[in-house]
Amino acid sequence: MQRFSEKYPSPEAVVLTFNYVLFLPPGVLLTGTPTVTFANLVGGDQNPQALSAGPPAIDATGTLVLQPVQGGLDDNDYLITASCPTTSGYWTPALPAILPVRMYPTKYGAM
């Protein structure tokens, strides 16, 4: 499962990239409207859907789903799952990922 880099709580806004390249058969691309769901794994955020800062989109290559996010509560980990129809017409792959939100991100050595 993918784990995104830690993000600072509000007001930091980032775009999460779900890369389907390794999961798509040759000649198959993402198409249609992607769906992204938000759930809280660790912490007490009762409204994880509030992380969404806009609708998800497919990039120009047809292999990435891009989801803008903003906010989140300090010391919460979010399970974010992107799914999207494909040109195969019968398969809608889903990719889960974890987004940690930290006031003092450990990636910078602070704690």
Side-chain angles (χ1 to χ4, degrees):
M1 179 181 306
Q2 180 177 0
R3 183 177 177 92
F4 292 112
S5 296
E6 296 168 341
K7 104 173 225 10
Y8 191 79
S10 192
E12 182 182 29
V14 297
V15 176
L16 304 178
T17 300
F18 293 85
N19 189 339
Y20 286 79
V21 169
L22 297 177
F23 304 99
L24 296 172
V28 174
L29 298 173
L30 302 173
T31 188
T33 304
T35 301
V36 176
T37 60
F38 298 82
N40 186 264
L41 284 178
V42 175
D45 192 345
Q46 298 298 311
N47 189 18
Q49 194 68 31
L51 272 173
S52 177
I58 300 170
D59 81 315
T61 68
T63 60
L64 306 174
V65 169
L66 308 173
Q67 173 63 56
V69 296
Q70 184 173 6
L73 299 181
D74 185 28
D75 287 331
N76 280 252
D77 288 352
Y78 298 90
L79 175 64
I80 303 173
T81 304
S83 60
C84 191
T86 63
T87 55
S88 71
Y90 62 88
W91 183 51
T92 302
L95 290 181
I98 295 172
L99 174 66
V101 175
R102 302 291 185 268
M103 181 67 72
Y104 301 103
T106 57
K107 68 180 177 183
Y108 299 117
M111 275 312 264

